[in-house]
Amino acid sequence: MDRLLKDLNEAQKEAVLSVEGPVMAIAGAGSGKTRVLTRRIAHLIDNVGVPKDNILAITFTNKAADEMKTRIASLLSMSTYRMWISTFHSMCARILREHIEHLGYTKNFQIIDDDDVTQMIKIVMKSLNLDVKTIKPNKLKPHILNLKSAPETIESYGEPLATYLHKVFPLYQKKLKENNLVDFEDLLVLTIRLLEEQPQVRKHYQQQFQYLLVDEFQDTNNLQYDLIRLLSDEKGNVFIVGDEDQSIYAFRGANIDNIRKFNNDYKNVKTVLLEKNYRSTNTILKAANQVISENKNRIEKTLHSTRGDGEKIRYFKGYSARDEVEYIADTIEKLHREGYAYEDMAILYRANSTSRMFEEGFMHKRLPYKVIGNTSFFKRKEIKDIVAYLRLVVNEHDDYSFRRIVNEPRRGIGATTVEKLANYCDNEGFSHYEAIEKTTLPVSGAPAKKLKAFKNMIETLQKRLGQVDFNVFLDDLLDLTGYKKALENDERGDVRYENIQELKTMLKETENTYATTDKETLLTYVLEDIALKSQEDEKIDSDAVSLMTLHAAKGLEFPVVFIAALEQGMFPLYRSLESSKDLEEERRLMYVGLTRAQQRLFLTNAKRRQLYGESVANPDSMFLKAIDPTLMKLEGLNREHADNEVRYTRDYNRTKRIRARRESLNSYTEKDLNKGDKIVHKAFGEGVVVSVARDQCVIAFSKEHGLKTLMKNHPAIVKKEE
């Protein structure tokens, strides 16, 4: 036991050793939560005597799951092969692979990714003669996925969306099942349905999973929360690690209230605060604590560092966005000369569009950079094409894959032929593949011959799959399909071919990992792995400065971090200023950005910048004003006047005093908005305050704008004097 606990602090030890009943570890940024999770699993196996198959650990990325497996294997000198350490989606895929027949699917189902869903919706819309321009498939997609878990909400949609959803949703569901396909939302929804409808299956997994551990609990959505509830038995041995202050994925469906819900649904929850930070300096953490402390209804914690105070935060303000880019580029060059690698540095921003000015500036200065969030390896066209061929080899009734590659590369099977085939199949109930041999097929002549040649080619590949190893099989596929020859005439053919060759590595790794020698089963596992990983960005190892949004930075850390465009409207976004809930999410995003920095932190903005073709002058971000100026060294326009730091500190202290005074009042003062007050809004015109609650108010404007719920201190609101 000493070996597992010796380098843990007291709070971490408590989290590791509290094994019975529900436990909630509130883990601040950089507090060693992965260490706690892996040590807890090792403790359960090595000291408590829990078999490794009786532990379920869930995290949010395959990378995090692999890291946990590697650490546990090292701690216990044991194989973590097939341990239940995975993402939610991987766990569900594994459960469904064993039991999905209860739901009317077969075990060789295939998983389609986000891009495939869009294409499938487009196919369904065309089959229904719906105009894909009036409402685009991509706009329908989130609503269709939401309806999977709440089909009754379809009645709440307005027109024309409701008409489209009423037609497209049931047919989309029907097409998926007919083709033995599931999307990512299905992985969760079908697993919940399986556990609810099949008591024996639910009991089996409740008995198997004696201990459950869930990482990044603040990022769970309602379906994921329901899954945990269904898998945990009456003992409630559930250990969650989360941090409300890092909940930044509401737009993906993450429900920050799940942490509070956990406290209500499980009895006698033990709470452990992990507040010791091993990543950042105290100066950085003080700034982060000050920013996030302005959010209400959070579990209080204060991060403190083991790394000393470190250097002051640099706050640079330029006259223009160009000045801001120049300052960051020059600072990066200086830091590189001092010994920092380019990959040690990251520039974070709120909106993707902000990257353009840095890309242009860095190209001009020949600074190496990488934009995190580029197209994933698994979403590249050539990979998706070959995966579609592999899917069809495994499941010849997969109409979606059939349609993707029946004329890829071009083999003279045009869109008209495919549409005739699809309409015939819809009417007769055949799959595209089996319909090719039917005498009643409304396709004749050269197109019919080409369809039969395509079918013969797939049959040849099916035979070859069982005869040769995967490397040879992939080469045969490229030759037989004509794909390799087509790449020879592609200007990027060499790169695309190298990408396809990388699939051989995956195929070989799978062949070495699984005990079975059945090639079809192995290929099914490979396709499942590809589908699950297609949701994650490819890994980039080059020595270059990272450019990324603050959302993309979650889970990462860098010795040097720049947070750019810190202006009101840029960050926080304008639209968040009218909702306290949205503003708190923006504040959590700032907290995440600040705590990515290990040693050096730079905050930057500009007096003026070009935005959507116009020159605008935004005020400094409110997040800057939340940070004690004594923690910062001011640069750029901030240093134009000798007394600037004094004034900045005075303004900061005055803001703090006003905020404290307002929060201490039991009633509103004459300067606050009260019910009945008349106001003027910059965009909505004159209005009357209808009601006031805490920091929000409801204002009635003209009929054109109606009722609006706004922040009381919204800069666009001016109270009219009587």
Side-chain angles (χ1 to χ4, degrees):
M1 184 176 292
D2 289 343
R3 176 175 55 86
L4 296 177
L5 302 179
K6 65 179 180 180
D7 55 349
L8 302 183
N9 62 47
E10 291 306 311
Q12 290 174 328
K13 288 177 184 177
E14 185 180 5
V16 168
L17 297 175
S18 303
V19 296
E20 298 302 322
V23 180
M24 177 169 62
I26 303 300
S31 62
K33 66 180 180 63
T34 304
R35 177 182 294 183
V36 168
L37 281 164
T38 52
R39 297 296 176 85
R40 184 180 173 89
I41 293 171
H43 171 63
L44 286 169
I45 295 171
D46 208 32
N47 300 322
V48 183
V50 180
K52 66 179 183 180
D53 290 339
N54 295 143
I55 299 171
L56 170 64
I58 305 174
T59 186
F60 272 79
T61 67
N62 288 298
K63 181 181 177 183
D66 290 342
E67 171 68 15
M68 288 174 66
K69 287 180 181 179
T70 301
R71 291 198 194 189
I72 292 166
S74 176
L75 285 168
L76 300 181
S77 299
M78 61 175 280
S79 171
T80 55
Y81 169 72
R82 297 292 281 172
M83 274 189 74
W84 287 85
I85 301 175
S86 68
T87 64
F88 273 100
H89 291 99
S90 295
M91 174 198 71
C92 290
R94 189 170 170 184
I95 291 174
L96 291 174
R97 194 66 68 189
E98 293 298 319
H99 306 283
I100 200 170
E101 289 172 332
H102 288 294
L103 303 177
Y105 295 76
T106 61
K107 289 186 178 181
N108 69 338
F109 70 87
Q110 296 299 315
I111 305 166
I112 62 173
D113 66 15
D114 195 54
D115 291 340
D116 294 331
V117 170
T118 304
Q119 292 305 312
M120 179 72 84
I121 292 171
K122 186 175 182 180
I123 290 169
V124 168
M125 290 176 71
K126 285 188 173 181
S127 73
L128 293 168
N129 294 317
L130 293 174
D131 184 6
V132 295
K133 294 180 180 178
T134 301
I135 295 183
K136 294 182 179 179
N138 220 36
K139 185 176 180 181
L140 275 186
K141 180 169 62 179
H143 304 299
I144 285 174
L145 296 180
N146 288 337
L147 286 174
K148 286 175 177 284
S149 57
E152 70 282 356
T153 61
I154 196 168
E155 302 303 329
S156 66
Y157 286 95
E159 295 296 345
L161 202 55
T163 297
Y164 273 70
L165 290 173
H166 272 289
K167 293 179 179 180
V168 175
F169 176 64
L171 187 55
Y172 171 79
Q173 293 286 80
K174 183 172 180 284
K175 290 288 185 185
L176 282 183
K177 194 165 186 180
E178 285 177 350
N179 288 281
N180 208 32
L181 299 173
V182 300
D183 55 35
F184 268 72
E185 197 74 5
D186 280 329
L187 290 175
L188 303 177
V189 172
L190 292 178
T191 303
I192 289 173
R193 185 179 145 202
L194 174 72
L195 296 173
E196 289 177 338
E197 294 179 0
Q198 303 296 323
Q200 75 282 8
V201 176
R202 182 173 69 250
K203 187 175 181 180
H204 165 76
Y205 284 107
Q206 286 179 344
Q207 290 175 342
Q208 177 169 349
F209 301 139
Q210 297 174 17
Y211 293 89
L212 282 71
L213 301 89
V214 187
D215 190 14
E216 304 285 10
F217 197 78
Q218 77 280 349
D219 293 335
T220 55
N221 60 31
N222 293 336
L223 289 176
Q224 291 160 342
Y225 185 89
D226 290 344
L227 269 172
I228 297 302
R229 289 286 288 163
L230 285 165
L231 290 171
S232 59
D233 62 13
E234 63 277 359
K235 294 179 184 177
N237 291 332
V238 183
F239 177 79
I240 68 169
V241 180
D243 181 9
E244 289 175 303
D245 294 339
Q246 296 186 75
S247 180
I248 59 173
Y249 295 125
F251 69 97
R252 292 184 189 170
N255 186 355
I256 191 173
D257 291 329
N258 281 348
I259 288 181
R260 300 183 191 99
K261 198 174 177 184
F262 182 84
N263 262 322
N264 295 329
D265 289 346
Y266 290 85
K267 296 179 181 178
N268 303 316
V269 175
K270 180 170 186 175
T271 301
V272 181
L273 296 180
L274 303 179
E275 298 176 292
K276 185 175 286 188
N277 177 284
Y278 295 90
R279 176 190 299 158
S280 308
T281 65
N282 265 320
T283 297
I284 293 169
L285 294 180
K286 284 177 182 176
N289 288 331
Q290 288 166 1
V291 169
I292 202 62
S293 67
E294 298 192 357
N295 275 3
K296 310 304 177 188
N297 301 317
R298 53 185 283 270
I299 298 173
E300 290 288 341
K301 67 178 184 306
T302 302
L303 294 181
H304 54 275
S305 176
T306 61
R307 306 184 64 175
D309 289 341
E311 295 198 26
K312 280 192 173 187
I313 299 165
R314 302 293 182 94
Y315 168 29
F316 171 87
K317 183 169 187 175
Y319 181 79
S320 66
R322 186 182 296 275
D323 293 340
E324 185 181 14
V325 173
E326 286 283 333
Y327 169 80
I328 291 177
D330 291 344
T331 303
I332 286 171
E333 288 181 323
K334 179 182 176 184
L335 291 170
H336 188 252
R337 288 194 298 269
E338 291 176 3
Y340 284 99
Y342 288 120
E343 64 184 352
D344 290 337
M345 296 178 267
I347 302 170
L348 313 182
Y349 37 81
R350 180 62 180 88
N352 261 312
S353 57
T354 309
S355 71
R356 182 190 60 81
M357 63 182 190
F358 289 106
E359 290 187 69
E360 290 180 354
F362 282 25
M363 282 189 284
H364 178 71
K365 286 183 171 286
R366 298 189 177 181
L367 278 175
Y369 71 91
K370 54 193 173 188
V371 181
I372 305 301
N374 279 340
T375 303
S376 162
F377 172 83
F378 299 105
K379 290 188 176 181
R380 292 171 183 169
K381 180 184 180 301
E382 61 271 19
I383 300 301
K384 290 179 73 66
D385 286 344
I386 300 305
V387 166
Y389 274 111
L390 296 176
R391 281 181 180 163
L392 203 58
V393 168
V394 172
N395 176 17
E396 60 206 31
H397 302 301
D398 181 349
D399 287 347
Y400 173 77
S401 294
F402 180 102
R403 290 181 67 135
R404 181 180 181 95
I405 44 83
V406 67
N407 198 41
E408 186 63 49
R410 295 182 182 277
R411 50 177 63 92
I413 303 174
T416 302
T417 299
V418 175
E419 287 302 317
K420 285 182 179 179
L421 178 63
N423 291 335
Y424 173 75
C425 291
D426 285 343
N427 293 330
E428 300 298 327
F430 300 123
S431 70
H432 291 19
Y433 185 90
E434 62 186 341
I436 290 173
E437 296 291 346
K438 302 298 178 182
T439 56
T440 54
L441 182 71
V443 178
S444 59
K449 289 180 181 179
K450 289 171 182 175
L451 283 172
K452 287 179 181 178
F454 177 79
K455 184 173 185 290
N456 292 337
M457 178 185 69
I458 298 299
E459 288 175 345
T460 300
L461 288 171
Q462 288 173 329
K463 292 175 184 175
R464 291 293 285 166
L465 179 61
Q467 296 170 345
V468 298
D469 67 28
F470 278 142
N471 280 359
V472 175
F473 174 73
L474 193 58
D475 287 337
D476 287 349
L477 187 152
L478 291 172
D479 287 331
L480 282 170
T481 61
Y483 209 94
K484 184 177 180 181
K485 187 175 182 179
L487 289 177
E488 292 173 359
N489 298 318
D490 187 326
E491 62 181 3
R492 297 190 70 249
D494 291 343
V495 175
R496 297 184 191 278
Y497 183 73
E498 287 175 7
N499 289 336
I500 294 171
Q501 293 302 298
E502 185 60 25
L503 282 176
K504 289 182 178 179
T505 305
M506 284 195 69
L507 291 165
K508 198 64 181 176
E509 286 172 353
T510 304
E511 196 171 21
N512 294 335
T513 300
Y514 291 92
T516 180
T517 57
D518 180 70
K519 293 291 179 58
E520 186 171 325
T521 301
L522 286 170
L523 190 52
T524 298
Y525 283 127
V526 171
L527 293 171
E528 179 178 298
D529 197 33
I530 289 173
L532 293 168
K533 287 180 177 177
S534 71
Q535 299 301 94
E536 297 184 24
D537 292 332
E538 67 175 313
K539 182 180 179 183
I540 307 172
D541 291 320
S542 59
D543 183 23
V545 178
S546 296
L547 309 182
M548 70 186 84
T549 65
L550 285 136
H551 281 103
K554 178 73 162 52
L556 303 177
E557 57 186 45
F558 300 89
V560 180
V561 167
F562 298 83
I563 303 180
L566 277 164
E567 298 148 29
Q568 208 76 342
M570 297 287 289
F571 186 34
L573 296 176
Y574 274 121
R575 62 174 178 266
S576 70
L577 300 176
E578 298 185 0
S579 162
S580 59
K581 185 177 179 181
D582 291 346
L583 186 56
E584 289 203 344
E585 177 115 347
E586 293 284 292
R587 197 172 281 119
R588 291 193 292 271
L589 199 53
M590 180 64 173
Y591 174 83
V592 166
L594 294 170
T595 54
R596 298 313 94 194
Q598 296 172 304
Q599 301 167 14
R600 306 286 297 275
L601 176 62
F602 296 81
L603 309 177
T604 67
N605 62 8
K607 183 177 180 180
R608 302 193 68 86
R609 73 174 62 243
Q610 289 292 319
L611 191 63
Y612 307 124
E614 294 184 11
S615 177
V616 295
N618 294 318
D620 295 339
S621 170
M622 64 172 65
F623 301 149
L624 288 167
K625 296 175 182 177
I627 300 172
D628 186 340
T630 62
L631 299 177
M632 298 192 285
K633 181 176 181 180
L634 307 182
E635 298 182 329
L637 290 182
N638 291 321
R639 299 297 300 167
E640 280 192 346
H641 304 289
D643 62 344
N644 191 68
E645 266 187 275
V646 175
R647 185 190 309 111
Y648 195 83
T649 303
R650 185 175 64 241
D651 290 345
Y652 169 83
N653 291 332
R654 179 173 176 272
T655 301
K656 287 290 185 184
R657 285 197 304 274
I658 292 172
R659 186 180 293 114
R661 180 169 58 83
R662 283 183 174 176
E663 290 178 352
S664 68
L665 293 177
N666 293 322
S667 60
Y668 301 109
T669 68
E670 62 180 8
K671 291 185 179 179
D672 287 316
L673 291 180
N674 293 281
K675 183 176 179 179
D677 285 347
K678 295 179 180 179
I679 64 95
V680 176
H681 188 280
K682 187 175 180 180
F684 305 136
E686 293 187 353
V688 177
V689 178
V690 177
S691 64
V692 177
R694 292 177 63 87
D695 55 354
Q696 287 186 314
C697 59
V698 177
I699 302 175
F701 293 101
S702 64
K703 186 177 180 180
E704 180 185 358
H705 300 293
L707 293 175
K708 299 284 184 184
T709 301
L710 305 173
M711 301 292 291
K712 285 172 56 184
N713 62 351
H714 195 291
I717 297 175
V718 177
K719 183 177 176 180
K720 291 183 71 174
E721 297 298 330
E722 296 298 331

